[in-house]
Structure formats: structure tokens, C-alpha cells
Amino acid sequence: MSILSLSLAFLLLFHGTCLALRPFQQTQNQCQIQRINALEPNERVEAEAGFTEFFDSGDQQFQCAGVEVIRHHIQPQGLMLPSYINTPLMVYILQGRGYQGIMLPGCPETFQSSQQAEERGFQDRHQKIRHFREGDMIIIPAGAAHWMYNDGQEEIVAIVMLDSTNEVNQLDQFHRRFFLAGNPKRSGQETPEEGSGNIFRGFDLQMLSEVFHVDQETASKLQSPDDTRGHIVMVERGLQVVRPPIRIQGPANGLEETFCSARFTANINDVSRPDFFNPEAGWTTYLNSFKLPILQMVQLSAERGVLYNNAVMSPYWMTNAHEIIHVTRGNMRMQIVNNEGQAVFDDMIQEGQVVVVPQNFAVIKQAQEQGCRWISFRTNDNAMMSTLAGRTSAIKAMPVSVLMNAYQMSPEQARSLKNNRMETMMFNPRSRY
Amino acid sequence: MSILSLSLAFLLLFHGTCLALRPFQQTQNQCQIQRINALEPNERVEAEAGFTEFFDSGDQQFQCAGVEVIRHHIQPQGLMLPSYINTPLMVYILQGRGYQGIMLPGCPETFQSSQQAEERGFQDRHQKIRHFREGDMIIIPAGAAHWMYNDGQEEIVAIVMLDSTNEVNQLDQFHRRFFLAGNPKRSGQETPEEGSGNIFRGFDLQMLSEVFHVDQETASKLQSPDDTRGHIVMVERGLQVVRPPIRIQGPANGLEETFCSARFTANINDVSRPDFFNPEAGWTTYLNSFKLPILQMVQLSAERGVLYNNAVMSPYWMTNAHEIIHVTRGNMRMQIVNNEGQAVFDDMIQEGQVVVVPQNFAVIKQAQEQGCRWISFRTNDNAMMSTLAGRTSAIKAMPVSVLMNAYQMSPEQARSLKNNRMETMMFNPRSRY
Amino acid sequence: MSILSLSLAFLLLFHGTCLALRPFQQTQNQCQIQRINALEPNERVEAEAGFTEFFDSGDQQFQCAGVEVIRHHIQPQGLMLPSYINTPLMVYILQGRGYQGIMLPGCPETFQSSQQAEERGFQDRHQKIRHFREGDMIIIPAGAAHWMYNDGQEEIVAIVMLDSTNEVNQLDQFHRRFFLAGNPKRSGQETPEEGSGNIFRGFDLQMLSEVFHVDQETASKLQSPDDTRGHIVMVERGLQVVRPPIRIQGPANGLEETFCSARFTANINDVSRPDFFNPEAGWTTYLNSFKLPILQMVQLSAERGVLYNNAVMSPYWMTNAHEIIHVTRGNMRMQIVNNEGQAVFDDMIQEGQVVVVPQNFAVIKQAQEQGCRWISFRTNDNAMMSTLAGRTSAIKAMPVSVLMNAYQMSPEQARSLKNNRMETMMFNPRSRY
């Protein structure tokens, strides 16, 4: 009973956020794509302790999907300054580890320093801090301020998908980042100039001083007019925060939590817990709102996919979502086919490249010699995949006589089409022939 | 308790699909319509065993409602080839009977052949097949592959409404059909040419052969390059499928079902079970998400309406939906009035014609001598109708003194306006005068 | 158990209405605002017993928020004629009292005259009538016909926010009012002319007479072609309706009600029941869908705010909504800052003026000598506010070491920034220094 009530409250809470619709314009026939190219970043913004790469938001395939993709590189002891954005984010940690804060308005400061720490002069109390590591997918709601710190030994590489056409974004058709600190360069700028400041720059200094009840020197530091470090800054002796020892998070069911303790992270890189596994072909893990309830709020999902050498993924289409695929290791050949039976993409996609598969377009993926790994973002929190070959495919679901008549085949041919491939999702052609 | 949990899961499942928003552009002021015309199909695509008629998707009234309308004609033993579309469909069976398959990804093949059948060499196992008959409304979710077969003695006539602006369509402002088989002609094409193939045409033949683990001849039949039968093909000796005997479906409450056994069909042509009935004027049956839960997913509803000779429907407006009216027998006079008090339509609508009533526009319908039947599609799963005359009308809901002052009437006139017409929805003026 | 079932039904009911999506176009980059101005009405439409003021719907800040604002002035014994609109409305009663009817299709006429009244010749029965008074916020769903009457001694002043981009509006990017009576002048018209009639004007007179079963004279009064009183008319001896004695409504929990008895009104002007209160700075009351469930259907919320003389509101941004602020008494200085750190507004906003704060833009408000009161409409039914200073702010939520490194501060400065201002939302700088 109380669980049900809570779940209702949960639904209500999410609705409030989800249903607030202010749609933004997309230019007409955005997905009438005749040709898709594998994309690499076309711009880079440097900072003291790292850099961010931008994929071209104006490219037709991103316009079709209504999303943007960027990639952060954060050096060890690098701190990405706090900021918030008008779109929800999915952040995939491709490499490295660290921790981050997502500031939720009205939630309590639950992390407080121990008595020993206070005796040593270190005293603090702040909101929850979340560890992350390679393979984590982090969800950041629209408008939520957040920062990120690298406390590991290697560079953090984070692939970020920004869902510009999400209904919670009522502001703009592209993402806009509001910095709470620093004086960062922006994409498209050569040097830090007027107009690239953080939000405190726009306020009157005297008023800031009154509001925070601090002296003018402190208030002027909020505005940081002379900061040249950029959006990722170096923390000289490492960041000191209150935090528990690192451990891998256990499963959650989404009902015992309130919004303040909601889970924003899940690891999808663990080969020991895949959703699909074929020892000869590869494995995949899905992350949708049944696993991570916050995804219902942002209406997005993801897949981590691995194909072993030469393995093939069953041809499929997504029934209700676009798919944004970023290859993270190796490469694969992809064919993407539109409703006129034409291949709009028939090429290799290499490590570090991105391709968008529009909703309903049919796809085949085949890994090359060294195999292939990718992360795929999907524009629906329960994106559904319909396969064409294998045990759970549309072809298998049809009666033999429908296949015979549709394809003008003999009964034997129709049966072989339906039954020869009994694996579910991935095959290794070589191991079967 | 378990019923409630299930219903919550149901809600969650549907939400995942419903809330994924990628709106598409409509040109500005689409519904600033000064003149509406009754439409007939303006194009026809022929096939071996039938044809499809298209209403002009570019017409202003369809642009306003954000929908498209087509009409299939399938001959006895005709099979409409499997395909999927980027919009949800509502298919009203105006005439004929048959069965259809909707392929749901991941759902089991629950229909399997009996031992006797297997002894006779007919062996198969496939997903559920659904009978349909005259008066059925079939709901097909966006991206779900489906086929349809005529096993009756007369031509099937199916009126199809495609909801292009549905939020689950993230692809295009018009519908796009992805064929799984054949080499169909498309709307706008004179002859089957390059680019009109099914989705297998875009894939490499060798890869198809590997993926399905079949020989190249079978794989090449998937691509069907030389098929000239079009999108509806003749099944020479009739289709053999595993299926239970035909029976009329009983009522369902929507809670005992999982998605795989969800009901996609309801009959709304049964005069013995109307929602409103007036023996002197006519009857109507509504189909909304309270009756057929899948409608919550596609956010559409429908009405089957019948007016007897010379009967009148109370003037009304739809508070939260557009209405797409297709007359299926007889004819009626309609008046449609905009917010400036101007009639944008004041004409007869004949059998086979379509008219769109924009949201909030006021309407009167009067059947002619032979009466009138229609099917009405509505762009909201709980479309609400507000009537102006009769027992449940807005006029009846107002105090007499408001009417007196609003219309500068005597108390007697106000009372007669409120009380003279005590029927609810439909009247027969002649029988009352 | 029954409460839960009811709440599910409630959710289902609301969904039906909420999820029906037909988005309308907004021109590109609507919120790329470089300059915001405080607005005053730029048009006025006069009527016999009052007038309506219109703010310029074409102004960039309204285009950004996707809303419109108007202001009604209704004299004592003035009746605003019944009408309905294609958008949901929030109506804030700034001054005066009266009662109103919202006609809900299919709901019963629950107010009926007493036997004594009938003996005196006054006999009536109609739908529920709702009292309203100063400080009430009234919600009117899209397409719901409604009227309003002033039974008090002073002019009613009502501030109305029309949510044109609400998903239930499938009709037009601006609001359109459909009058059920009168022959009102419209915005943009000098004199009542052709085309400004109520919806009955577009219907055939003979058909109206048949439909209502009244004589032609009564029917022609429905069309009111010669009515010159405009949209607010004088009721000479006062309106006589069936109604209970006025009382202030008690709290409701939203579950014991059906749609027909749903609550559409809440008072948010009661200083004895604020959500936030600081005796030195001011108070605010929120109205969201947790308090008034109907707000979930219209996806809007509101705030009543009061700052005492010279008090300041903590700088904040709305994470998921635009904010439309109407000052109702006094004035305040506002600074609004965009994502480039530029103040797009730095000015006084006076009584009667309106300013839009776009989603995610940062704001500071400071009342002047005489204090300031405002009403704020928000385009999300659970709009969330993230403050920058004070106990629950983003700055307070961050570790000291993050602040030190982000702002290049000493530990002491970071601690003072975090801890010097311990109030939550509003401060009085003078009282603290």
C-alpha cells in the first residue's frame, strides 16, 4: 500500500516535469536524408585542465534526431566548473573515474565532515556527491547545476548526448550552457571576450555583495572577470570533499527512493551482467526507465553494444526512437536503409565516430577483424527494437504461407528463412558456416 | 493489489512510448481556415489484388488536423504485404472480413499448428493472428510491422487514418511506409522504378544470405527486384495459417492483459450496443481509451455515428480534439462555424467524402432523406464533445438569468431555449413538431 | 484500495486530455532575447459594463514563453458573456468578487431552486456556480465554456494568462475566443462589424429554430446581430441564480472528487497560509498540481509573492519553466541574466507591468521603498526554482573546495560565501547589516 502510494507520488512528480510541453521548431522534412556520413568532432574548446570536442550540431542527422553530441576530456585533478543546461544530458564515461555533484533545489546537505576532519580544520557539509567510473551512464536533468572532478590517474573521456528537442526544454532549439563560475571560452570563440562570462557577471556587484552578505572582493570573485583557465580548471593539491569510500553501487528498484536520493547513474559496461549474450558473437546491455527510473523523466535510453570479430547484428529497426551511435573501440561496417529501399549509409564507422540511425530506418552492423564496441543513445525511454532475422524477429513471427506469398518462395525456402537462424540478436556467420 | 501493480506497470509501459516527444513543424496558422471542402481521393495506386486511394495530404484541413487519410480495397484472397509506418494507424473495416498479423518485437509465437496438421505436412508456429470483420476498428502502433488478408467473399474496404503529428512519430511530417516484401509502386509513381523497393533492397545480398543463413537464391527473393504485383498480392489457393475458429470478441477490461496479448481491435458497428440511442433520430458508439486501453498509447479515439432520415445532431464543439469525418453511407448537410461566427462549410457531404472539423469549431449535422452513417476519427484518446442544445448542453447548464441577459430575452424565451429540447444528442425535428 | 483505484482513474482521465499532442510552430530561436522590456497593455476593447486590456502577443518575450496575457475589468452587475477558448486559462482575481459558471459537458445540473423560490415564480436548475474573491486563481480548461459575473461593490480586475502553446491547443498559435452570445467587438476592431459575431451567427436560422424547438424570434436572439453591448454586459437589476451562501472553501485532497466536482479555484492571497515566510523580508505562496490537481491537466502553476520594503529575493533560475511576472502593487528592481552573463533586463518593474523570465535565465528582485507584490504564472505544473544564495541554494550545496577552486578563493572566502546568508529565499539586507 505505501509502496503503491509512493509510486503514485513518483508518477505525479515525474509528470509534472515531463508533461510541460513547449515544442521547438525543426525545419521541415528534417529526416528526409539521402546520405548519412560518419562524423568526427569539428571543433575543440581548450581549457587549463582538459578540452571539449563538439560534433557539428547543424549536421542533418543531428537535426533529424533533435540532439547534439559533445565529448569532454578532463585531466587528472581537473575540475569542470559548475554549470546547468536547458536540455537533459546523458553522459557516458568512456574512460577514467572521478566524482560529481548534481545540485537539486531544496534537497538537504547530507554529506558532512567527521569530527576528526573538523578537528584538523577541515569542516564542511554539502549535498550528496556521486562517484563515477568507466562504463557509467550519468543522467543530468535539464536545468540542474552540476560539476565533475577527475580524482583518478588517467584522463576522463566523457561522451555527452544533449537532447535539445526534449519537451522539458522550453528555451531554444540548441543547448545553452549557463556557467555558475569562471569565464569560459565558448564554442565558436577564439579568445575569451565580452559576453562569455558566468551568470554572476550580469548582476550588480553591490547587490551580489548584499545578497551573499560578503565583502565586495569575495563578491567580485563570483564574477571572475579575469579568469583565463577556461571551463576545466586544475586543482593543485587535489579536491577535498566529504565522501564515502568508493564502492560499486548495488541494484535499486526505484520505489524506495525519494527524488533527493534518486539514482542518476548506472554502469552498463559489465560483461558479467549483459541483457543479451552470445559467446560467439558479442553482448549488449540496455539502460531504460525500467532499470533507472529517472530515465522516465528525461525520456531517453541507451545501449552498450559489443560485437566480437566478424560478428553480425541481426538487421533491425527502432520502432519508436532515433538512435545515436558512437563507436568506442574497433570498427564496423554499417548499412542503413530508408523506406525506399535505398542504402543511405554503407560504410565503415571507426572508433570515435558518430552516426545517427533515424527512426524506422533498417540497419545491419558487422564488426571487422578486431571487433567493435559502441554506445548508443536512444530518444525514447523505452526504445523498442524490431529485428528481421533470428528467433524473435518479424520474419519468424509471420506464418510460412505469408512468407511464401510475400516473397514468391517455395515452402522449403520460407521455412529455411524462418528457421535457419535460431540465435536471437547477434550471430557469427563464420562460426556457423 | 496485483491488479493495481499491473495497472501501474501498464501506465509505465505506455508512458515510455507516449512521452517520447520530437515534434514536427506545421506551417504557421494551419487552422486559420476560411473555407473547408468535402474531399474525395485524388490518387489511386493499383496492385494485383486491390488498390489504395489517397486523399490529398497537402489539403489545408489535413494540415490543420495533422493527419492523413487513405482507403484500401483488398480483393478476396488478396494479401497486403507486410510493412510498417512511422505513425500510428486507425483502420476502420467498412466492408469485408479477414485476418491480420501485427508483429510485436519480443512477443512469443503463440499460435502453433496441431499434430494432425503436422502429420499432413503443414507445420508452423507464429505470432497471434487476429480476425477482423465489418465494423472493426484496428489500432496499429507506429513502427509495428503488419499484414492483412481477405479470407471472405467480398472486397475489403478499409478507411485508414494516419496520425502524422503523433508524438511517437519522430521521423517526418508525413507518413512513410517501409515495406518488408515486394517491390510496390508508391503514391506519385506511374510505374515501379528504382527506389521503390522494400527495405531488403538496400542491404548487401551476401550479407542477407549470411544473416538468414540461407542460400543466395532465397536471399535474393527477399529483395524481390522483379516483383510486379504491387502492394496487394493474390494468394492463389488461399492462405494457410494457424488460427482458431472465428468468434466475436467479448469485452476486455485492459488490466488482465500484458502488452503481448493487448487488444488492438474493437467493433463499433453494433446497433445493439450503442453509447447513445434515440429510436427516432439515430445512434452513436464511441471508442476511447476507457474502452480500448491501447488508444491511450496512440492518443486517438473514434465515433461511429448514424442519423436516421432528416434527423439532426445537436450543435456541438469538440473541446480538445480535431475530428475527421468520413461518410460511409447516405449523406448529410453540415454547417461548420469558426470563432468569427462565419460558416466555413455549409454543404452536403456525400458517401465516401471526408471533412475535417477543427478543434472548437461549432457543427450542426442533418441527415437527408435516406439517412446518414459516418466514422469519425478524433485526435485525442478522450475527445470531449460539448453540445449546445438538449439535456446535457452548455445552454441547459446556464442559469435562466444568464441566458436572459446574454441574449436579451424574456424569462419565457430563456426557459423555452433551455427546456424545449429535452433529448440529449440527436433529434428528429419532424417527429417532434 | 478504492482511493487508489480512484486516483488511477483520475490519472487516466487527465492523461487522456494531457497527452493529446499537436504541437504548433514557434519561429526559430524564440528565446534568443537580447533585451527584455517591462510591458503595459497596448490595446483596449470597451464594452457596456467594463473593458479588456491586451498585452502585445507578438512581443518577443511572449513568443518565447508561448503565452498571452490580458486583463479584464468588470463593473458591478457586469456579466462577461459565455465563451470558450482554445487554450487553458489561469485567471487571477486581483480585485473584486463575483461568481462564475464553467460548463462541463455531461455533468449534471446540481444547483436547483428551492420550493419557496419556485412558489415566487423563480424556477431554475443549472450546473454548479462558483464564487470567487480577491486573491483567487481560477483555472479554466481549454474549450470549456464559461461566464463571469460581478456581484460585489467594486470593479473586478482579473489578470488572465492564456497558454497558447499548451499541448491541448491543437488549433492555433494564438488564442481564439468563441463567443456563445452577443456580438462582441474583437481586439483590432474599431467597431462591431461583419464577422465579429458569436458562433450561432454561422448557423442557419431555421435549423437553430428546429434544433432548440423554439420560435424564430427566440432563435434569432441567439444570433444577436444587433447587440451593441460588447462582451461585458450590464445586468440591470442584478443576476438571479441558484447558489449557496458565500463561504471560503476548505482544503481538498483531490481524491474524493470526480471530474464534475473538481476544484478549479484556490486562494493564494492569504498571508496566514504562506509556503515561505520571513517576517523581515516577505512571503510567497505556490499553487501547483500537488495543491490543485486540475493544474496537472493544464500543466501550469503560479506563485503569489510579496517583498517588504527594500527586501531582496535570492538570485534564482527556474529549471523547467518560463515565468510570467505581473506586478500588482508597488515596484521592484529586477535583473535578468542570460547564459552569456549579460543582463537582458536591469530596470524597475511597476504596478501593472509584465515581464517574462525565460527558462534558466538568472534573476534578482529587489523591492523598493513601498515594497512589492506580484503574481507569477509558470509554464509547468511543478515548476522548480533553484536559488543561488541562502540555505537551500546551489552554492550552499557545493563543497567548500569546489567553491575555492571554481572562484579562486581562500577557504575563508568560500565559507563566508556558503554560510553568511542562512535565510532561505528572501532577505532584508538592511535589517542584517
Side-chain angles (χ1 to χ4, degrees), chain C residues 156-169:
Chain C
I156 288 173
V157 181
I159 303 166
V160 185
M161 197 272 278
L162 306 103
D163 186 26
S164 322
T165 43
N166 194 284
E167 65 188 20
V168 83
N169 171 23

Side-chain angles (χ1 to χ4, degrees), chain B residues 28-95:
Chain B
Q28 214 154 1
N29 308 338
Q30 292 277 12
C31 288
Q32 293 194 344
I33 290 177
Q34 294 306 316
R35 177 102 207 108
I36 290 175
N37 296 303
L39 295 180
E40 299 191 349
N42 69 337
E43 194 184 352
R44 176 196 281 225
V45 172
E46 298 281 349
E48 186 187 46
F51 61 92
T52 297
E53 296 168 296
F54 295 80
F55 290 79
D56 179 11
S57 301
D59 189 276
Q60 202 186 5
Q61 58 192 303
F62 289 127
Q63 294 282 309
C64 162
V67 305
E68 299 168 75
V69 176
I70 62 179
R71 213 157 55 198
H72 297 304
H73 297 254
I74 305 173
Q75 296 170 16
Q77 300 188 41
L79 168 71
M80 204 169 75
L81 294 179
S83 67
Y84 60 89
I85 298 180
N86 56 317
T87 72
L89 313 183
M90 293 189 95
V91 182
Y92 180 71
I93 304 300
L94 179 58
Q95 174 186 296

Side-chain angles (χ1 to χ4, degrees), chain B residues 1 4 7-8 11 15 18-19 21 23-33 64-67 163-167 289-290 296 299-300 312-322 333 335-343 346 358-366 379-382 384-402 404-410 413-418 420-421 427 429 432-433, chain C residues 1 4-5 8-9 11-13 15-25 27 63 79 81-82 84-87 103-107 109 121-129 142-145 147 167-182 186 194-204 207-215 217-219 221-224 226-229 233-236 238-242 259 297:
Chain B
M1 175 74 181
L4 277 168
S7 76
L8 278 172
L11 274 173
H15 279 180
C18 291
L19 294 179
L21 174 71
F24 283 93
Q25 180 194 27
Q26 301 191 331
T27 20
Q28 214 154 1
N29 308 338
Q30 292 277 12
C31 288
Q32 293 194 344
I33 290 177
C64 162
V67 305
D163 185 26
S164 321
T165 43
N166 194 284
E167 65 189 21
S289 57
F290 290 102
Q296 199 184 3
Q299 300 164 46
L300 298 168
V312 180
M313 195 143 166
S314 170
Y316 68 90
W317 73 93
M318 304 298 302
T319 64
N320 58 359
H322 300 297
R333 183 184 173 197
Q335 292 183 301
I336 307 178
V337 176
N338 70 8
N339 63 313
E340 294 175 338
Q342 293 166 332
D346 182 0
Q359 182 187 16
N360 285 6
F361 280 43
V363 194
I364 289 185
K365 298 170 180 164
Q366 179 164 34
T379 60
N380 189 314
D381 63 319
N382 284 306
M384 282 193 281
M385 181 185 264
S386 202
T387 55
L388 284 160
R391 186 182 292 274
T392 59
S393 69
I395 295 289
K396 185 85 175 67
M398 282 192 269
V400 164
S401 61
V402 170
M404 282 166 56
N405 284 283
Y407 298 113
Q408 299 180 287
M409 284 177 170
S410 69
Q413 286 176 318
R415 282 203 192 93
S416 70
L417 191 68
K418 242 184 110 157
N420 279 12
R421 182 58 74 187
F427 327 121
R432 305 284 296 184
Y433 264 94
Chain C
M1 177 75 181
L4 278 167
S5 307
L8 279 172
L11 275 173
L12 284 165
L13 182 64
H15 278 182
T17 314
C18 290
L19 295 180
L21 175 71
R22 300 287 112 172
F24 281 94
Q25 181 194 26
T27 20
Q63 293 283 308
L79 168 71
L81 293 179
Y84 59 90
I85 299 181
N86 56 318
T87 72
M103 278 78 82
L104 300 173
C107 294
E109 288 91 50
F122 172 74
Q123 178 189 351
D124 202 4
R125 174 186 281 244
H126 50 73
Q127 279 194 9
K128 186 192 278 194
I129 282 174
W147 52 267
E167 65 188 20
V168 83
N169 171 23
Q170 306 182 4
L171 188 68
D172 204 350
Q173 68 162 344
F174 294 111
H175 88 274
R176 287 204 234 169
R177 191 181 287 269
F178 293 74
F179 279 100
L180 265 65
R186 304 204 169 249
E194 278 308 309
S196 63
N198 70 56
I199 53 173
F200 290 111
R201 280 285 280 286
F203 291 127
D204 184 77
M207 200 174 276
L208 283 180
S209 163
E210 285 184 10
V211 159
F212 285 95
H213 200 202
V214 294
D215 57 47
E217 189 200 328
T218 305
K221 289 197 166 171
L222 284 175
Q223 298 189 327
S224 317
D226 305 318
D227 189 339
T228 58
R229 299 171 299 166
V233 303
M234 184 57 68
V235 178
E236 284 313 333
L239 207 62
Q240 274 199 307
V241 297
V242 184
F259 187 73
M297 180 168 137

